[in-house]
Each structure stands twice: as structure tokens, then as C-alpha cells.
Amino acid sequence: AGISVAARYNACLTLIHCVDDANIMAAASSAATMGVGVPSIGTSTATFATPLEADPRQDIAFQDHLDREVSAAKNWLRRYVQKAYDAGCEEALPIVRMGDPGTSICELADELETDLIIVGRKDRSGLEALLLGSVSSDVVHHAPCAVLVAQT
């Protein structure tokens, strides 16, 4: 939806992909509790911390997973930037951000003085939406500008 709107109104299109490091940290913590050693950083000998002592952000496996997520995000953005140019957009800006997607989208919109955010919405059940939250709902309630929610 965003590409066609930007092309039609000759608007700058900013494409954002948020890598939620909280999910990556949860996966690293889960691996640690399943018996996967998490190396402690800053020690002179090779030791392995218990899950409660480990900071998943310092784990090599965490960093590898994070690198893969960022690489996948960049590839996804490259494809959509090309689609934007193919559709007639004159300017498409790809951005990868770390952190909570809803917060990141709203902060970027504020930084760029955005006129309109177009965000996708997945069809989730009531319980799933309640437990997991909704990026589109978060953006609608906290955005500094108008928001168009498109069903994906």
C-alpha cells in the first residue's frame, strides 16, 4: 500500500524494518537454559556463565543471530526499494532500526517529520493480540502523525 501511495503522490517513501532485540535475547536466554553454555566476556579464562549470570547481548551466538536478522532485514528492504523504484517512486529510503517496532516507527516518524505512516496489520486472534500486542495498534496510539493501517 505504501509504495502505491508514495508513487501516486510523488512522496518520499521511507521503508523501515525493526529488528526486535528483545526477541533475540529471549532466544539466547532460552538456549542458555537448555544447557547451551554462554561464554562470559571480560574474564581471563574461558568460563561459562549460568543463565542468570549471562548477558545474552554478550553471547557470540546472540551476535551471530543478530547479524543474520540485520542481514535479512537489509535484503528485505533492498527488494522493496527496487519495487518502489519500479512503481515510479523517485525517492525510497531504507532504514534498519534496533528495538521495539512500534516505538522505533514512531520515533523515526517524529525525527523525519513524517506526514503519514502506513503500517501493515496481521489478522491475529483476540488472545494472541492481547498476549503479543500489536505494532499497528502501538503506532496508531503513539504516532506523531496520521496513520493508515493496511490489512496484510
Side-chain angles (χ1 to χ4, degrees):
I3 291 173
S4 58
V5 170
R8 179 178 175 131
Y9 294 102
N10 197 26
C12 173
L13 176 67
T14 302
L15 298 160
I16 181 171
H17 186 97
C18 299
V19 177
D20 192 349
D21 57 348
N23 290 340
I24 298 170
M25 283 178 51
S29 294
S30 176
T33 60
M34 294 172 49
V36 177
V38 180
S40 293
I41 304 299
T43 58
S44 59
T45 59
T47 60
F48 287 85
T50 64
L52 294 176
E53 297 170 333
D55 179 357
R57 293 176 207 256
Q58 297 177 349
D59 182 22
I60 294 169
F62 168 80
Q63 191 60 48
D64 288 344
H65 188 72
L66 182 61
D67 291 344
R68 284 192 303 273
E69 288 289 323
V70 170
S71 178
K74 288 179 179 179
N75 288 333
W76 181 85
L77 287 168
R78 277 188 203 100
R79 286 194 306 271
Y80 277 90
V81 165
Q82 187 58 54
K83 285 182 181 184
Y85 288 135
D86 292 347
C89 289
E90 292 185 17
E91 187 176 1
L93 175 66
I95 295 177
V96 176
R97 285 269 175 113
M98 297 294 298
D100 175 69
T103 302
S104 297
I105 291 167
C106 291
E107 287 174 353
L108 182 64
D110 191 44
E111 290 169 23
L112 298 177
E113 299 179 1
T114 301
D115 296 317
L116 174 66
I117 296 171
I118 301 175
V119 63
R121 178 186 176 279
K122 295 179 182 173
D123 200 14
R124 290 192 169 149
S125 69
L127 180 60
E128 185 181 21
L130 180 65
L131 293 174
L132 298 176
S134 165
V135 172
S136 58
S137 177
D138 193 26
V139 171
V140 165
H141 288 95
H142 299 100
C145 61
V147 178
L148 173 65
V149 180
Q151 183 72 31
T152 58

